[in-house]
Amino acid sequence: MKQVNIYSVTTTFLIVISILFYGCDTGVEPDETRPVGLYGTIVDDIGNPISEVNVHYIFNPGMHLEIQSVLIQYSLPYTQVVTVKVYDIFDRLIVTLIDEVEQQPGAYAIHFNEPVTNGIYYFKVQKADTVESGKYFIYTEDITILEDRNPLLKSDEEGKFFVEPFAFGIGNTIMGVTISDSLSIVLTKTGYNTTVESFKLDTTQAVDREFIMKVQ
């Protein structure tokens, strides 16, 4: 009668149980799990990372629009205390145009012309217990103007930055213009030549791009 090797049977049983509970390591990397968006790395022409680079963008290149100020309008049916604030796409407060000022009944208009970069901006008009809001964009394709503007964001110590598609406003229709996935990234920093790269952003996955800036 053939004897059964108890040790071999026990070992085989444990291997099967391990596979059932923990899976089998095939050595294959897991699927892409990073958030969808643009992952940029900024380096000089020998590969050194550049930090504190101002990141701007131009959406729908070729629109040839110049929108550097916006008129915010509202009306009051009776005397009210009013506050008007403007926020950027990240919900960061840009400026308080009117801060709890009592205003008489009538129609009002106030200009927003802060030195901000291209992008979508929101205004909120707080009137007594109600809030009116709206959105618009600031836009220029003049690089010399962008160079003097507050950026969308800056690169970190490793020369990296990340932007989710929503921050570019892709798909939004504002002032009769729909923002497409075609854009130009504009990079500026003192001591370096301004870099402009145009491409279509894939909004369905994480996209890695390296940008090279040359020393002046």
Side-chain angles (χ1 to χ4, degrees):
M1 180 172 150
K2 186 176 180 181
Q3 293 183 336
V4 177
N5 188 323
I6 299 299
Y7 175 77
S8 297
V9 172
T10 302
T11 301
T12 301
F13 176 76
L14 290 174
I15 291 173
V16 171
I17 293 299
S18 295
I19 291 174
L20 289 175
F21 276 89
Y22 300 105
C24 180
D25 184 3
T26 63
V28 177
E29 291 295 322
D31 292 337
E32 178 69 73
T33 58
R34 294 180 300 169
V36 171
L38 174 63
Y39 292 79
T41 302
I42 307 171
V43 298
D44 61 21
D45 50 10
I46 59 174
N48 296 316
I50 309 174
S51 62
E52 293 296 306
V53 175
N54 297 320
V55 180
H56 305 268
Y57 78 106
I58 296 172
F59 49 85
N60 298 18
M63 284 201 307
H64 303 304
L65 291 178
E66 281 294 328
I67 303 175
Q68 294 305 309
S69 67
V70 176
L71 191 65
I72 299 171
Q73 298 177 313
Y74 59 94
S75 61
L76 303 176
Y78 54 87
T79 299
Q80 297 179 68
V81 174
V82 176
T83 296
V84 180
K85 296 183 178 183
V86 178
Y87 300 83
D88 69 6
I89 193 71
F90 300 112
D91 204 30
R92 299 177 298 202
L93 177 63
I94 298 299
V95 65
T96 299
L97 297 172
I98 299 176
D99 191 10
E100 296 186 349
V101 175
E102 185 176 87
Q103 295 183 327
Q104 301 299 313
Y108 291 84
I110 182 170
H111 274 99
F112 171 73
N113 56 1
E114 296 291 307
V116 293
T117 190
N118 287 347
I120 296 175
Y121 295 88
Y122 300 85
F123 69 84
K124 294 181 181 179
V125 181
Q126 176 78 49
K127 303 184 298 183
D129 295 328
T130 64
V131 178
E132 291 182 7
S133 61
K135 62 183 178 180
Y136 53 85
F137 57 73
I138 296 296
Y139 188 82
T140 182
E141 292 188 13
D142 189 331
I143 303 301
T144 59
I145 292 177
L146 284 179
E147 289 174 339
D148 293 330
R149 299 253 159 173
N150 296 325
L152 181 71
L153 49 84
K154 290 177 177 281
S155 62
D156 64 17
E157 293 180 354
E158 298 179 338
K160 298 183 181 298
F161 67 89
F162 169 65
V163 189
E164 294 180 90
F166 85 88
F168 293 122
I170 296 172
N172 277 270
T173 299
I174 306 173
M175 303 162 71
V177 175
T178 299
I179 300 176
S180 74
D181 54 2
S182 294
L183 54 91
S184 296
I185 294 294
V186 180
L187 306 174
T188 70
K189 183 175 181 176
T190 301
Y192 293 85
N193 292 325
T194 296
T195 296
V196 181
E197 287 197 24
S198 302
F199 55 92
K200 261 196 165 186
L201 180 65
D202 187 339
T203 59
T204 65
Q205 62 181 349
V207 176
D208 293 282
R209 289 189 71 95
E210 182 178 83
F211 302 90
I212 299 175
M213 297 186 74
K214 294 184 179 296
V215 177
Q216 289 181 339

PDB file of all heavy atoms in Angstrom, residues 131-161:
ATOM      1  N   VAL A 131     -27.572  85.600  -1.467  1.00  0.00           N
ATOM      2  CA  VAL A 131     -26.268  85.636  -2.140  1.00  0.00           C
ATOM      3  C   VAL A 131     -26.479  85.471  -3.634  1.00  0.00           C
ATOM      4  O   VAL A 131     -27.149  84.523  -4.077  1.00  0.00           O
ATOM      5  CB  VAL A 131     -25.319  84.531  -1.633  1.00  0.00           C
ATOM      6  CG1 VAL A 131     -24.002  84.577  -2.403  1.00  0.00           C
ATOM      7  CG2 VAL A 131     -25.063  84.682  -0.151  1.00  0.00           C
ATOM      8  N   GLU A 132     -25.944  86.389  -4.410  1.00  0.00           N
ATOM      9  CA  GLU A 132     -25.923  86.256  -5.862  1.00  0.00           C
ATOM     10  C   GLU A 132     -24.513  85.860  -6.268  1.00  0.00           C
ATOM     11  O   GLU A 132     -23.533  86.344  -5.693  1.00  0.00           O
ATOM     12  CB  GLU A 132     -26.299  87.572  -6.537  1.00  0.00           C
ATOM     13  CG  GLU A 132     -27.748  87.982  -6.356  1.00  0.00           C
ATOM     14  CD  GLU A 132     -28.065  89.278  -7.086  1.00  0.00           C
ATOM     15  OE1 GLU A 132     -27.190  89.769  -7.838  1.00  0.00           O
ATOM     16  OE2 GLU A 132     -29.175  89.797  -6.907  1.00  0.00           O
ATOM     17  N   SER A 133     -24.399  84.988  -7.258  1.00  0.00           N
ATOM     18  CA  SER A 133     -23.073  84.565  -7.699  1.00  0.00           C
ATOM     19  C   SER A 133     -23.039  84.437  -9.209  1.00  0.00           C
ATOM     20  O   SER A 133     -24.076  84.337  -9.868  1.00  0.00           O
ATOM     21  CB  SER A 133     -22.681  83.232  -7.052  1.00  0.00           C
ATOM     22  OG  SER A 133     -23.582  82.206  -7.412  1.00  0.00           O
ATOM     23  N   GLY A 134     -21.858  84.422  -9.756  1.00  0.00           N
ATOM     24  CA  GLY A 134     -21.681  84.268 -11.193  1.00  0.00           C
ATOM     25  C   GLY A 134     -20.229  83.925 -11.483  1.00  0.00           C
ATOM     26  O   GLY A 134     -19.379  83.947 -10.590  1.00  0.00           O
ATOM     27  N   LYS A 135     -19.954  83.575 -12.726  1.00  0.00           N
ATOM     28  CA  LYS A 135     -18.577  83.250 -13.091  1.00  0.00           C
ATOM     29  C   LYS A 135     -18.246  83.864 -14.440  1.00  0.00           C
ATOM     30  O   LYS A 135     -19.117  84.130 -15.269  1.00  0.00           O
ATOM     31  CB  LYS A 135     -18.351  81.740 -13.117  1.00  0.00           C
ATOM     32  CG  LYS A 135     -19.190  80.963 -14.131  1.00  0.00           C
ATOM     33  CD  LYS A 135     -18.938  79.474 -14.007  1.00  0.00           C
ATOM     34  CE  LYS A 135     -19.799  78.669 -14.974  1.00  0.00           C
ATOM     35  NZ  LYS A 135     -19.563  77.215 -14.859  1.00  0.00           N
ATOM     36  N   TYR A 136     -16.964  84.088 -14.645  1.00  0.00           N
ATOM     37  CA  TYR A 136     -16.465  84.684 -15.879  1.00  0.00           C
ATOM     38  C   TYR A 136     -15.011  84.274 -16.003  1.00  0.00           C
ATOM     39  O   TYR A 136     -14.478  83.567 -15.124  1.00  0.00           O
ATOM     40  CB  TYR A 136     -16.596  86.215 -15.842  1.00  0.00           C
ATOM     41  CG  TYR A 136     -15.980  86.833 -14.621  1.00  0.00           C
ATOM     42  CD1 TYR A 136     -14.628  87.126 -14.581  1.00  0.00           C
ATOM     43  CD2 TYR A 136     -16.753  87.105 -13.494  1.00  0.00           C
ATOM     44  CE1 TYR A 136     -14.058  87.669 -13.452  1.00  0.00           C
ATOM     45  CE2 TYR A 136     -16.183  87.652 -12.360  1.00  0.00           C
ATOM     46  CZ  TYR A 136     -14.829  87.930 -12.342  1.00  0.00           C
ATOM     47  OH  TYR A 136     -14.257  88.453 -11.220  1.00  0.00           O
ATOM     48  N   PHE A 137     -14.346  84.652 -17.081  1.00  0.00           N
ATOM     49  CA  PHE A 137     -12.917  84.373 -17.142  1.00  0.00           C
ATOM     50  C   PHE A 137     -12.121  85.616 -17.511  1.00  0.00           C
ATOM     51  O   PHE A 137     -12.634  86.552 -18.121  1.00  0.00           O
ATOM     52  CB  PHE A 137     -12.578  83.199 -18.076  1.00  0.00           C
ATOM     53  CG  PHE A 137     -13.038  83.348 -19.496  1.00  0.00           C
ATOM     54  CD1 PHE A 137     -12.422  84.227 -20.365  1.00  0.00           C
ATOM     55  CD2 PHE A 137     -14.074  82.561 -19.987  1.00  0.00           C
ATOM     56  CE1 PHE A 137     -12.829  84.342 -21.691  1.00  0.00           C
ATOM     57  CE2 PHE A 137     -14.491  82.663 -21.307  1.00  0.00           C
ATOM     58  CZ  PHE A 137     -13.865  83.552 -22.150  1.00  0.00           C
ATOM     59  N   ILE A 138     -10.879  85.578 -17.068  1.00  0.00           N
ATOM     60  CA  ILE A 138      -9.879  86.567 -17.464  1.00  0.00           C
ATOM     61  C   ILE A 138      -9.011  85.890 -18.518  1.00  0.00           C
ATOM     62  O   ILE A 138      -8.639  84.724 -18.368  1.00  0.00           O
ATOM     63  CB  ILE A 138      -9.023  87.002 -16.262  1.00  0.00           C
ATOM     64  CG1 ILE A 138      -9.894  87.704 -15.219  1.00  0.00           C
ATOM     65  CG2 ILE A 138      -7.863  87.890 -16.702  1.00  0.00           C
ATOM     66  CD1 ILE A 138     -10.527  89.000 -15.702  1.00  0.00           C
ATOM     67  N   TYR A 139      -8.674  86.614 -19.588  1.00  0.00           N
ATOM     68  CA  TYR A 139      -7.970  85.936 -20.675  1.00  0.00           C
ATOM     69  C   TYR A 139      -7.104  86.883 -21.490  1.00  0.00           C
ATOM     70  O   TYR A 139      -7.511  87.988 -21.832  1.00  0.00           O
ATOM     71  CB  TYR A 139      -8.983  85.277 -21.630  1.00  0.00           C
ATOM     72  CG  TYR A 139      -8.343  84.391 -22.669  1.00  0.00           C
ATOM     73  CD1 TYR A 139      -7.986  83.094 -22.350  1.00  0.00           C
ATOM     74  CD2 TYR A 139      -8.083  84.856 -23.950  1.00  0.00           C
ATOM     75  CE1 TYR A 139      -7.385  82.277 -23.286  1.00  0.00           C
ATOM     76  CE2 TYR A 139      -7.492  84.041 -24.897  1.00  0.00           C
ATOM     77  CZ  TYR A 139      -7.137  82.755 -24.562  1.00  0.00           C
ATOM     78  OH  TYR A 139      -6.538  81.950 -25.479  1.00  0.00           O
ATOM     79  N   THR A 140      -5.900  86.423 -21.767  1.00  0.00           N
ATOM     80  CA  THR A 140      -5.018  87.097 -22.711  1.00  0.00           C
ATOM     81  C   THR A 140      -4.074  86.065 -23.315  1.00  0.00           C
ATOM     82  O   THR A 140      -3.751  85.068 -22.672  1.00  0.00           O
ATOM     83  CB  THR A 140      -4.197  88.217 -22.038  1.00  0.00           C
ATOM     84  OG1 THR A 140      -3.378  88.864 -23.025  1.00  0.00           O
ATOM     85  CG2 THR A 140      -3.289  87.657 -20.947  1.00  0.00           C
ATOM     86  N   GLU A 141      -3.658  86.292 -24.547  1.00  0.00           N
ATOM     87  CA  GLU A 141      -2.632  85.450 -25.156  1.00  0.00           C
ATOM     88  C   GLU A 141      -1.303  86.193 -25.235  1.00  0.00           C
ATOM     89  O   GLU A 141      -0.338  85.689 -25.814  1.00  0.00           O
ATOM     90  CB  GLU A 141      -3.074  84.989 -26.549  1.00  0.00           C
ATOM     91  CG  GLU A 141      -4.255  84.032 -26.491  1.00  0.00           C
ATOM     92  CD  GLU A 141      -4.582  83.410 -27.838  1.00  0.00           C
ATOM     93  OE1 GLU A 141      -3.758  83.514 -28.774  1.00  0.00           O
ATOM     94  OE2 GLU A 141      -5.668  82.823 -27.958  1.00  0.00           O
ATOM     95  N   ASP A 142      -1.254  87.373 -24.636  1.00  0.00           N
ATOM     96  CA  ASP A 142      -0.038  88.178 -24.613  1.00  0.00           C
ATOM     97  C   ASP A 142       0.864  87.667 -23.487  1.00  0.00           C
ATOM     98  O   ASP A 142       0.581  87.865 -22.296  1.00  0.00           O
ATOM     99  CB  ASP A 142      -0.389  89.647 -24.392  1.00  0.00           C
ATOM    100  CG  ASP A 142       0.805  90.571 -24.571  1.00  0.00           C
ATOM    101  OD1 ASP A 142       1.950  90.133 -24.323  1.00  0.00           O
ATOM    102  OD2 ASP A 142       0.597  91.746 -24.931  1.00  0.00           O
ATOM    103  N   ILE A 143       1.948  86.984 -23.855  1.00  0.00           N
ATOM    104  CA  ILE A 143       2.831  86.367 -22.868  1.00  0.00           C
ATOM    105  C   ILE A 143       3.450  87.410 -21.939  1.00  0.00           C
ATOM    106  O   ILE A 143       3.648  87.160 -20.736  1.00  0.00           O
ATOM    107  CB  ILE A 143       3.951  85.556 -23.562  1.00  0.00           C
ATOM    108  CG1 ILE A 143       3.335  84.504 -24.484  1.00  0.00           C
ATOM    109  CG2 ILE A 143       4.849  84.893 -22.525  1.00  0.00           C
ATOM    110  CD1 ILE A 143       2.430  83.522 -23.803  1.00  0.00           C
ATOM    111  N   THR A 144       3.748  88.577 -22.465  1.00  0.00           N
ATOM    112  CA  THR A 144       4.371  89.610 -21.623  1.00  0.00           C
ATOM    113  C   THR A 144       3.408  90.055 -20.519  1.00  0.00           C
ATOM    114  O   THR A 144       3.859  90.456 -19.434  1.00  0.00           O
ATOM    115  CB  THR A 144       4.782  90.831 -22.467  1.00  0.00           C
ATOM    116  OG1 THR A 144       3.631  91.383 -23.124  1.00  0.00           O
ATOM    117  CG2 THR A 144       5.809  90.424 -23.509  1.00  0.00           C
ATOM    118  N   ILE A 145       2.111  89.990 -20.775  1.00  0.00           N
ATOM    119  CA  ILE A 145       1.136  90.303 -19.733  1.00  0.00           C
ATOM    120  C   ILE A 145       1.110  89.193 -18.689  1.00  0.00           C
ATOM    121  O   ILE A 145       1.126  89.441 -17.477  1.00  0.00           O
ATOM    122  CB  ILE A 145      -0.262  90.521 -20.334  1.00  0.00           C
ATOM    123  CG1 ILE A 145      -0.293  91.802 -21.176  1.00  0.00           C
ATOM    124  CG2 ILE A 145      -1.325  90.588 -19.233  1.00  0.00           C
ATOM    125  CD1 ILE A 145      -1.621  92.055 -21.874  1.00  0.00           C
ATOM    126  N   LEU A 146       1.082  87.945 -19.140  1.00  0.00           N
ATOM    127  CA  LEU A 146       1.048  86.814 -18.209  1.00  0.00           C
ATOM    128  C   LEU A 146       2.274  86.795 -17.305  1.00  0.00           C
ATOM    129  O   LEU A 146       2.183  86.422 -16.131  1.00  0.00           O
ATOM    130  CB  LEU A 146       0.947  85.498 -18.973  1.00  0.00           C
ATOM    131  CG  LEU A 146      -0.415  85.129 -19.579  1.00  0.00           C
ATOM    132  CD1 LEU A 146      -0.315  83.807 -20.318  1.00  0.00           C
ATOM    133  CD2 LEU A 146      -1.484  85.074 -18.511  1.00  0.00           C
ATOM    134  N   GLU A 147       3.414  87.176 -17.844  1.00  0.00           N
ATOM    135  CA  GLU A 147       4.648  87.148 -17.058  1.00  0.00           C
ATOM    136  C   GLU A 147       4.561  88.013 -15.811  1.00  0.00           C
ATOM    137  O   GLU A 147       5.234  87.737 -14.811  1.00  0.00           O
ATOM    138  CB  GLU A 147       5.836  87.600 -17.925  1.00  0.00           C
ATOM    139  CG  GLU A 147       6.235  86.582 -18.978  1.00  0.00           C
ATOM    140  CD  GLU A 147       7.313  87.102 -19.916  1.00  0.00           C
ATOM    141  OE1 GLU A 147       7.467  88.343 -20.022  1.00  0.00           O
ATOM    142  OE2 GLU A 147       8.015  86.275 -20.528  1.00  0.00           O
ATOM    143  N   ASP A 148       3.736  89.044 -15.838  1.00  0.00           N
ATOM    144  CA  ASP A 148       3.600  89.951 -14.701  1.00  0.00           C
ATOM    145  C   ASP A 148       2.398  89.638 -13.833  1.00  0.00           C
ATOM    146  O   ASP A 148       2.098  90.384 -12.893  1.00  0.00           O
ATOM    147  CB  ASP A 148       3.499  91.404 -15.199  1.00  0.00           C
ATOM    148  CG  ASP A 148       4.789  91.890 -15.844  1.00  0.00           C
ATOM    149  OD1 ASP A 148       5.873  91.414 -15.437  1.00  0.00           O
ATOM    150  OD2 ASP A 148       4.713  92.725 -16.767  1.00  0.00           O
ATOM    151  N   ARG A 149       1.716  88.525 -14.104  1.00  0.00           N
ATOM    152  CA  ARG A 149       0.499  88.207 -13.370  1.00  0.00           C
ATOM    153  C   ARG A 149       0.749  87.145 -12.299  1.00  0.00           C
ATOM    154  O   ARG A 149       1.689  86.351 -12.391  1.00  0.00           O
ATOM    155  CB  ARG A 149      -0.564  87.697 -14.336  1.00  0.00           C
ATOM    156  CG  ARG A 149      -0.942  88.702 -15.400  1.00  0.00           C
ATOM    157  CD  ARG A 149      -2.291  89.269 -15.130  1.00  0.00           C
ATOM    158  NE  ARG A 149      -2.518  90.544 -15.788  1.00  0.00           N
ATOM    159  CZ  ARG A 149      -3.681  91.152 -15.791  1.00  0.00           C
ATOM    160  NH1 ARG A 149      -4.711  90.601 -15.189  1.00  0.00           N
ATOM    161  NH2 ARG A 149      -3.819  92.321 -16.376  1.00  0.00           N
ATOM    162  N   ASN A 150      -0.133  87.143 -11.288  1.00  0.00           N
ATOM    163  CA  ASN A 150      -0.077  86.078 -10.288  1.00  0.00           C
ATOM    164  C   ASN A 150      -0.413  84.755 -10.977  1.00  0.00           C
ATOM    165  O   ASN A 150      -1.404  84.675 -11.700  1.00  0.00           O
ATOM    166  CB  ASN A 150      -1.077  86.353  -9.165  1.00  0.00           C
ATOM    167  CG  ASN A 150      -0.743  87.613  -8.394  1.00  0.00           C
ATOM    168  OD1 ASN A 150       0.420  87.943  -8.200  1.00  0.00           O
ATOM    169  ND2 ASN A 150      -1.761  88.321  -7.948  1.00  0.00           N
ATOM    170  N   PRO A 151       0.388  83.702 -10.768  1.00  0.00           N
ATOM    171  CA  PRO A 151       0.193  82.457 -11.518  1.00  0.00           C
ATOM    172  C   PRO A 151      -0.960  81.608 -11.012  1.00  0.00           C
ATOM    173  O   PRO A 151      -1.501  81.839  -9.929  1.00  0.00           O
ATOM    174  CB  PRO A 151       1.531  81.731 -11.303  1.00  0.00           C
ATOM    175  CG  PRO A 151       1.936  82.172  -9.923  1.00  0.00           C
ATOM    176  CD  PRO A 151       1.530  83.620  -9.843  1.00  0.00           C
ATOM    177  N   LEU A 152      -1.301  80.598 -11.815  1.00  0.00           N
ATOM    178  CA  LEU A 152      -2.280  79.601 -11.393  1.00  0.00           C
ATOM    179  C   LEU A 152      -1.725  78.832 -10.203  1.00  0.00           C
ATOM    180  O   LEU A 152      -2.422  78.580  -9.225  1.00  0.00           O
ATOM    181  CB  LEU A 152      -2.583  78.652 -12.566  1.00  0.00           C
ATOM    182  CG  LEU A 152      -3.611  77.544 -12.314  1.00  0.00           C
ATOM    183  CD1 LEU A 152      -5.009  78.148 -12.199  1.00  0.00           C
ATOM    184  CD2 LEU A 152      -3.567  76.514 -13.439  1.00  0.00           C
ATOM    185  N   LEU A 153      -0.444  78.468 -10.291  1.00  0.00           N
ATOM    186  CA  LEU A 153       0.259  77.776  -9.206  1.00  0.00           C
ATOM    187  C   LEU A 153       1.749  77.837  -9.478  1.00  0.00           C
ATOM    188  O   LEU A 153       2.185  78.388 -10.491  1.00  0.00           O
ATOM    189  CB  LEU A 153      -0.220  76.325  -9.083  1.00  0.00           C
ATOM    190  CG  LEU A 153      -0.280  75.465 -10.354  1.00  0.00           C
ATOM    191  CD1 LEU A 153       1.064  74.853 -10.673  1.00  0.00           C
ATOM    192  CD2 LEU A 153      -1.305  74.369 -10.194  1.00  0.00           C
ATOM    193  N   LYS A 154       2.564  77.264  -8.565  1.00  0.00           N
ATOM    194  CA  LYS A 154       4.015  77.240  -8.714  1.00  0.00           C
ATOM    195  C   LYS A 154       4.529  75.811  -8.581  1.00  0.00           C
ATOM    196  O   LYS A 154       3.895  74.967  -7.924  1.00  0.00           O
ATOM    197  CB  LYS A 154       4.690  78.109  -7.649  1.00  0.00           C
ATOM    198  CG  LYS A 154       4.504  79.617  -7.809  1.00  0.00           C
ATOM    199  CD  LYS A 154       5.147  80.360  -6.651  1.00  0.00           C
ATOM    200  CE  LYS A 154       5.035  81.871  -6.813  1.00  0.00           C
ATOM    201  NZ  LYS A 154       6.028  82.388  -7.757  1.00  0.00           N
ATOM    202  N   SER A 155       5.674  75.539  -9.183  1.00  0.00           N
ATOM    203  CA  SER A 155       6.291  74.222  -9.050  1.00  0.00           C
ATOM    204  C   SER A 155       6.904  74.081  -7.656  1.00  0.00           C
ATOM    205  O   SER A 155       7.295  75.079  -7.029  1.00  0.00           O
ATOM    206  CB  SER A 155       7.367  74.007 -10.119  1.00  0.00           C
ATOM    207  OG  SER A 155       8.417  74.950  -9.981  1.00  0.00           O
ATOM    208  N   ASP A 156       6.991  72.831  -7.157  1.00  0.00           N
ATOM    209  CA  ASP A 156       7.537  72.597  -5.822  1.00  0.00           C
ATOM    210  C   ASP A 156       9.062  72.453  -5.873  1.00  0.00           C
ATOM    211  O   ASP A 156       9.687  72.739  -6.910  1.00  0.00           O
ATOM    212  CB  ASP A 156       6.888  71.372  -5.180  1.00  0.00           C
ATOM    213  CG  ASP A 156       7.195  70.064  -5.931  1.00  0.00           C
ATOM    214  OD1 ASP A 156       8.136  70.033  -6.742  1.00  0.00           O
ATOM    215  OD2 ASP A 156       6.480  69.076  -5.690  1.00  0.00           O
ATOM    216  N   GLU A 157       9.669  72.025  -4.764  1.00  0.00           N
ATOM    217  CA  GLU A 157      11.126  71.937  -4.677  1.00  0.00           C
ATOM    218  C   GLU A 157      11.715  70.947  -5.673  1.00  0.00           C
ATOM    219  O   GLU A 157      12.894  71.039  -6.024  1.00  0.00           O
ATOM    220  CB  GLU A 157      11.542  71.558  -3.254  1.00  0.00           C
ATOM    221  CG  GLU A 157      11.233  72.632  -2.213  1.00  0.00           C
ATOM    222  CD  GLU A 157      11.666  72.231  -0.824  1.00  0.00           C
ATOM    223  OE1 GLU A 157      12.112  71.065  -0.653  1.00  0.00           O
ATOM    224  OE2 GLU A 157      11.572  73.064   0.093  1.00  0.00           O
ATOM    225  N   GLU A 158      10.915  69.987  -6.113  1.00  0.00           N
ATOM    226  CA  GLU A 158      11.376  68.992  -7.083  1.00  0.00           C
ATOM    227  C   GLU A 158      11.012  69.382  -8.510  1.00  0.00           C
ATOM    228  O   GLU A 158      11.159  68.583  -9.435  1.00  0.00           O
ATOM    229  CB  GLU A 158      10.800  67.612  -6.754  1.00  0.00           C
ATOM    230  CG  GLU A 158      11.241  67.084  -5.397  1.00  0.00           C
ATOM    231  CD  GLU A 158      10.644  65.728  -5.089  1.00  0.00           C
ATOM    232  OE1 GLU A 158       9.600  65.384  -5.702  1.00  0.00           O
ATOM    233  OE2 GLU A 158      11.222  65.001  -4.266  1.00  0.00           O
ATOM    234  N   GLY A 159      10.536  70.613  -8.672  1.00  0.00           N
ATOM    235  CA  GLY A 159      10.166  71.080 -10.005  1.00  0.00           C
ATOM    236  C   GLY A 159       8.860  70.508 -10.500  1.00  0.00           C
ATOM    237  O   GLY A 159       8.574  70.546 -11.696  1.00  0.00           O
ATOM    238  N   LYS A 160       8.036  70.001  -9.598  1.00  0.00           N
ATOM    239  CA  LYS A 160       6.797  69.323 -10.005  1.00  0.00           C
ATOM    240  C   LYS A 160       5.564  70.176  -9.709  1.00  0.00           C
ATOM    241  O   LYS A 160       5.562  71.003  -8.800  1.00  0.00           O
ATOM    242  CB  LYS A 160       6.672  67.982  -9.289  1.00  0.00           C
ATOM    243  CG  LYS A 160       7.793  67.002  -9.629  1.00  0.00           C
ATOM    244  CD  LYS A 160       7.589  65.672  -8.945  1.00  0.00           C
ATOM    245  CE  LYS A 160       8.717  64.702  -9.258  1.00  0.00           C
ATOM    246  NZ  LYS A 160       8.823  64.392 -10.686  1.00  0.00           N
ATOM    247  N   PHE A 161       4.520  69.939 -10.492  1.00  0.00           N
ATOM    248  CA  PHE A 161       3.212  70.527 -10.225  1.00  0.00           C
ATOM    249  C   PHE A 161       2.139  69.582 -10.734  1.00  0.00           C
ATOM    250  O   PHE A 161       2.392  68.732 -11.587  1.00  0.00           O
ATOM    251  CB  PHE A 161       3.065  71.913 -10.877  1.00  0.00           C
ATOM    252  CG  PHE A 161       3.042  71.908 -12.381  1.00  0.00           C
ATOM    253  CD1 PHE A 161       1.842  71.767 -13.083  1.00  0.00           C
ATOM    254  CD2 PHE A 161       4.216  72.045 -13.109  1.00  0.00           C
ATOM    255  CE1 PHE A 161       1.819  71.769 -14.474  1.00  0.00           C
ATOM    256  CE2 PHE A 161       4.209  72.042 -14.503  1.00  0.00           C
ATOM    257  CZ  PHE A 161       2.998  71.907 -15.184  1.00  0.00           C
TER     258      PHE A 161
END
